[in-house]
Structures are given as structure tokens and as C-alpha cells.
Amino acid sequence: MSIYRDEILEHYNNPQNFGQPKKFDIVAKQVNPFCGDEIEIYIELESSQVHKVKKIYFFGKGCAISIASASLLTEFVKGKTLKELTDLTQEDMLSLLGVEVSPTRRKCALLAMATLKEGLK
């Protein structure tokens, strides 16, 4: 179990795809009102008719679970189509984390996915 905790801490301390790009096609922001975590997601699409994710970034602040989730999610969705992202479920997101998340931390774990889904609307 500590290997998963180490991975969460690694993504929290060194998040992948963290930043605010100048060029993007989709942007969305959400805040968890219960704890104050904030996540913004920026997506640049490939210039094809399939609309695949070319680049994805996130920016924000929050607890280890919300930042690690955003980092893991951005790595996972690269190269995926918008249709594949629309089909992403909460269970998929929790599976990416690889650790049991208590009911009170569930919103933190799902914040990045909720932000992504908001941007796809």
C-alpha cells in the first residue's frame, strides 16, 4: 500500500503537465467549496477531425489527492478523443489513483475529472 502512497506524493510534489499554456482550445475551472481546492484544465486539440488531445495542462492548488489526481488524469488523457473523455467514469478516475479514497476525500479525488467534464460541455 505504501507504494501507492509514494506515487500520490510524487505526483503531488512533482505534478505532470502543471502550468498555464498560452495556446489552448478548451479551458475549465472548478473549485471544491468544502475544502477550497481549485483546478483549471487546459486542452490543446490536434488539428484533425477526430479531436484528440494533443496537449493538456492543469493549474491550481489543493491537497495531495486533488493535485495527484489532476497530474495522473492529464497523463492518462493524452492522445484520447473527446468521445473517450466523455465516457470517462468516476470509477475510472478512482482506479487511476490506485488507493482507497474515503467518502470525505472523494470530491478531492474527482475534482480534476469534474473540471475536465465541464470543459467538454
Side-chain angles (χ1 to χ4, degrees):
M1 188 66 129
S2 75
I3 189 168
Y4 293 120
R5 289 187 182 137
D6 291 344
E7 184 177 3
I8 298 292
L9 288 175
E10 178 61 28
H11 276 278
Y12 174 68
N13 291 320
N14 300 296
Q16 302 298 300
N17 310 301
F18 187 82
Q20 293 176 294
K22 294 188 184 335
K23 180 183 175 190
F24 53 86
D25 299 302
I26 297 171
V27 64
K29 177 180 181 179
Q30 289 215 349
V31 176
N32 181 344
F34 299 108
C35 64
D37 291 355
E38 298 178 15
I39 297 289
E40 291 176 70
I41 292 204
Y42 303 86
I43 299 173
E44 181 182 341
L45 300 171
E46 289 183 5
S47 56
S48 69
Q49 294 179 332
V50 186
H51 295 301
K52 284 187 177 182
V53 174
K54 180 178 179 181
K55 296 179 184 175
I56 182 166
Y57 298 90
F58 81 95
F59 187 76
K61 64 183 178 74
C63 67
I65 295 290
S66 66
I67 298 300
S69 294
S71 178
L72 287 161
L73 180 68
T74 58
E75 283 294 291
F76 177 76
V77 304
K78 286 180 186 174
K80 300 242 185 317
T81 66
L82 296 185
K83 169 73 171 110
E84 289 173 306
L85 300 183
T86 302
D87 294 341
L88 192 66
T89 67
Q90 290 183 1
E91 289 73 27
D92 294 332
M93 186 65 231
L94 295 172
S95 177
L96 280 176
L97 268 176
V99 294
E100 282 291 318
V101 180
S102 69
T104 56
R105 302 301 298 231
R106 196 169 169 95
K107 282 202 180 286
C108 301
L110 298 173
L111 182 60
M113 188 188 83
T115 307
L116 174 68
K117 296 275 188 167
E118 179 67 28
L120 297 175
K121 288 183 183 177

